Short mmCIF file of all heavy atoms in Angstrom, two decimals:
data_model
loop_
_atom_site.label_atom_id
_atom_site.label_comp_id
_atom_site.label_asym_id
_atom_site.label_seq_id
_atom_site.Cartn_x
_atom_site.Cartn_y
_atom_site.Cartn_z
N LEU A 229 4.19 0.59 -8.28
CA LEU A 229 4.16 0.54 -9.67
C LEU A 229 4.87 1.68 -10.28
O LEU A 229 5.50 1.59 -11.32
CB LEU A 229 2.68 0.70 -10.22
CG LEU A 229 1.72 -0.40 -9.71
CD1 LEU A 229 0.27 -0.21 -10.49
CD2 LEU A 229 2.10 -1.81 -9.92
N HIS A 230 4.85 2.78 -9.61
CA HIS A 230 5.60 4.01 -9.95
C HIS A 230 7.04 3.75 -10.07
O HIS A 230 7.81 4.23 -10.97
CB HIS A 230 5.31 5.17 -9.10
CG HIS A 230 5.82 6.47 -9.60
ND1 HIS A 230 5.50 7.03 -10.72
CD2 HIS A 230 6.69 7.33 -8.94
CE1 HIS A 230 6.16 8.16 -10.89
NE2 HIS A 230 6.87 8.39 -9.79
N ASP A 231 7.59 2.94 -9.03
CA ASP A 231 9.05 2.65 -9.15
C ASP A 231 9.38 1.82 -10.30
O ASP A 231 10.42 2.09 -10.96
CB ASP A 231 9.38 1.90 -7.90
CG ASP A 231 9.35 2.69 -6.63
OD1 ASP A 231 9.84 3.83 -6.59
OD2 ASP A 231 8.89 2.21 -5.60
N CYS A 232 8.46 1.03 -10.76
CA CYS A 232 8.77 0.25 -12.05
C CYS A 232 8.76 1.16 -13.27
O CYS A 232 9.64 1.14 -14.15
CB CYS A 232 7.65 -0.79 -12.25
SG CYS A 232 7.72 -1.73 -13.81
N LYS A 233 7.78 2.17 -13.27
CA LYS A 233 7.83 3.15 -14.37
C LYS A 233 9.04 4.00 -14.37
O LYS A 233 9.57 4.28 -15.46
CB LYS A 233 6.49 3.99 -14.28
CG LYS A 233 5.22 3.27 -14.47
CD LYS A 233 4.03 4.16 -14.27
CE LYS A 233 2.75 3.33 -14.43
NZ LYS A 233 1.56 4.29 -14.08
N VAL A 234 9.36 4.40 -13.21
CA VAL A 234 10.71 5.14 -13.13
C VAL A 234 11.91 4.45 -13.58
O VAL A 234 12.71 5.04 -14.37
CB VAL A 234 10.86 5.68 -11.57
CG1 VAL A 234 12.30 6.33 -11.46
CG2 VAL A 234 9.74 6.61 -11.22
N ALA A 235 11.94 3.21 -13.24
CA ALA A 235 13.09 2.35 -13.69
C ALA A 235 13.08 2.24 -15.19
O ALA A 235 14.17 2.35 -15.84
CB ALA A 235 13.06 0.97 -13.00
N GLN A 236 11.83 2.01 -15.73
CA GLN A 236 11.81 1.91 -17.22
C GLN A 236 12.28 3.18 -17.86
O GLN A 236 12.97 3.14 -18.86
CB GLN A 236 10.34 1.56 -17.60
CG GLN A 236 10.05 0.15 -17.23
CD GLN A 236 8.48 0.01 -17.46
OE1 GLN A 236 7.71 0.90 -17.64
NE2 GLN A 236 8.00 -1.34 -17.38
N ALA A 237 11.88 4.41 -17.38
CA ALA A 237 12.21 5.60 -17.97
C ALA A 237 13.72 5.86 -17.86
O ALA A 237 14.46 6.49 -18.73
CB ALA A 237 11.59 6.78 -17.24
N MET A 238 14.37 5.37 -16.77
CA MET A 238 15.80 5.53 -16.57
C MET A 238 16.64 4.50 -17.37
O MET A 238 17.77 4.65 -17.56
CB MET A 238 16.20 5.33 -15.03
CG MET A 238 15.51 6.36 -14.17
SD MET A 238 15.86 6.11 -12.43
CE MET A 238 17.62 6.08 -12.38
N GLY A 239 15.96 3.41 -17.80
CA GLY A 239 16.67 2.30 -18.45
C GLY A 239 17.41 1.41 -17.54
O GLY A 239 18.33 0.67 -17.98
N VAL A 240 17.01 1.37 -16.26
CA VAL A 240 17.66 0.55 -15.32
C VAL A 240 16.78 -0.69 -14.95
O VAL A 240 15.60 -0.71 -15.33
CB VAL A 240 18.02 1.28 -13.97
CG1 VAL A 240 18.83 2.53 -14.32
CG2 VAL A 240 16.75 1.63 -13.27
N GLN A 241 17.41 -1.66 -14.37
CA GLN A 241 16.55 -2.89 -13.90
C GLN A 241 15.79 -2.53 -12.60
O GLN A 241 16.13 -1.57 -11.93
CB GLN A 241 17.57 -4.05 -13.68
CG GLN A 241 18.24 -4.49 -14.93
CD GLN A 241 19.08 -5.66 -14.82
OE1 GLN A 241 18.64 -6.71 -14.56
NE2 GLN A 241 20.44 -5.45 -14.88
N CYS A 242 14.81 -3.33 -12.34
CA CYS A 242 13.94 -3.08 -11.20
C CYS A 242 13.54 -4.36 -10.45
O CYS A 242 13.29 -5.31 -11.07
CB CYS A 242 12.62 -2.35 -11.73
SG CYS A 242 11.53 -1.79 -10.40
N LEU A 243 13.58 -4.21 -9.17
CA LEU A 243 13.11 -5.27 -8.22
C LEU A 243 12.11 -4.62 -7.32
O LEU A 243 12.43 -3.54 -6.75
CB LEU A 243 14.32 -5.83 -7.45
CG LEU A 243 13.94 -6.89 -6.32
CD1 LEU A 243 13.30 -8.07 -6.95
CD2 LEU A 243 15.20 -7.13 -5.49
N LEU A 244 10.99 -5.33 -7.14
CA LEU A 244 9.85 -4.75 -6.30
C LEU A 244 9.69 -5.58 -5.08
O LEU A 244 9.75 -6.81 -5.09
CB LEU A 244 8.63 -4.66 -7.04
CG LEU A 244 8.61 -3.75 -8.32
CD1 LEU A 244 7.37 -3.89 -9.09
CD2 LEU A 244 8.87 -2.32 -7.87
N VAL A 245 9.56 -4.84 -3.86
CA VAL A 245 9.34 -5.48 -2.62
C VAL A 245 7.87 -5.37 -2.20
O VAL A 245 7.35 -4.30 -2.15
CB VAL A 245 10.33 -5.02 -1.56
CG1 VAL A 245 10.31 -5.83 -0.36
CG2 VAL A 245 11.72 -4.82 -2.11
N ALA A 246 7.22 -6.51 -1.88
CA ALA A 246 5.75 -6.51 -1.70
C ALA A 246 5.38 -6.25 -0.19
O ALA A 246 4.26 -6.64 0.21
CB ALA A 246 5.20 -7.76 -2.17
N HIS A 247 6.21 -5.50 0.57
CA HIS A 247 5.82 -5.27 1.97
C HIS A 247 5.53 -3.77 2.17
O HIS A 247 5.34 -3.28 3.28
CB HIS A 247 6.92 -5.68 2.90
CG HIS A 247 8.25 -4.98 2.73
ND1 HIS A 247 9.43 -5.50 3.23
CD2 HIS A 247 8.59 -3.86 2.03
CE1 HIS A 247 10.45 -4.66 2.85
NE2 HIS A 247 9.93 -3.69 2.21
N GLY A 248 5.25 -2.98 1.07
CA GLY A 248 5.15 -1.59 1.21
C GLY A 248 3.84 -1.05 0.76
O GLY A 248 2.72 -1.55 1.20
N HIS A 249 3.76 0.02 0.00
CA HIS A 249 2.55 0.70 -0.34
C HIS A 249 1.71 0.13 -1.40
O HIS A 249 0.51 0.57 -1.61
CB HIS A 249 2.91 2.16 -0.67
CG HIS A 249 3.49 2.98 0.46
ND1 HIS A 249 2.65 3.72 1.25
CD2 HIS A 249 4.77 3.08 0.91
CE1 HIS A 249 3.46 4.27 2.26
NE2 HIS A 249 4.63 3.85 2.04
N HIS A 250 2.18 -0.88 -2.18
CA HIS A 250 1.35 -1.59 -3.21
C HIS A 250 1.30 -3.03 -2.82
O HIS A 250 2.27 -3.62 -2.32
CB HIS A 250 1.81 -1.34 -4.54
CG HIS A 250 1.49 0.02 -5.15
ND1 HIS A 250 1.88 0.35 -6.29
CD2 HIS A 250 0.70 1.00 -4.60
CE1 HIS A 250 1.46 1.65 -6.58
NE2 HIS A 250 0.63 1.99 -5.57
N SER A 251 0.15 -3.67 -3.15
CA SER A 251 -0.02 -5.09 -2.88
C SER A 251 0.77 -5.94 -3.79
O SER A 251 1.19 -5.57 -4.85
CB SER A 251 -1.57 -5.47 -3.07
OG SER A 251 -1.90 -5.37 -4.46
N PRO A 252 1.13 -7.15 -3.29
CA PRO A 252 1.84 -8.12 -4.17
C PRO A 252 1.22 -8.30 -5.53
O PRO A 252 1.87 -8.46 -6.56
CB PRO A 252 1.90 -9.40 -3.31
CG PRO A 252 1.66 -8.96 -1.92
CD PRO A 252 0.80 -7.80 -2.05
N GLU A 253 -0.08 -8.42 -5.58
CA GLU A 253 -0.84 -8.68 -6.78
C GLU A 253 -0.58 -7.53 -7.81
O GLU A 253 -0.36 -7.81 -8.99
CB GLU A 253 -2.29 -8.88 -6.54
CG GLU A 253 -2.67 -10.07 -5.75
CD GLU A 253 -2.37 -9.98 -4.24
OE1 GLU A 253 -2.20 -8.80 -3.74
OE2 GLU A 253 -2.24 -11.00 -3.60
#
């Protein structure tokens, strides 16, 4: 989720991969 927040602050687009530290849900 933090990567999403960082992307928003930067004004860039974001793609999240569900094999890491946060669940897909």
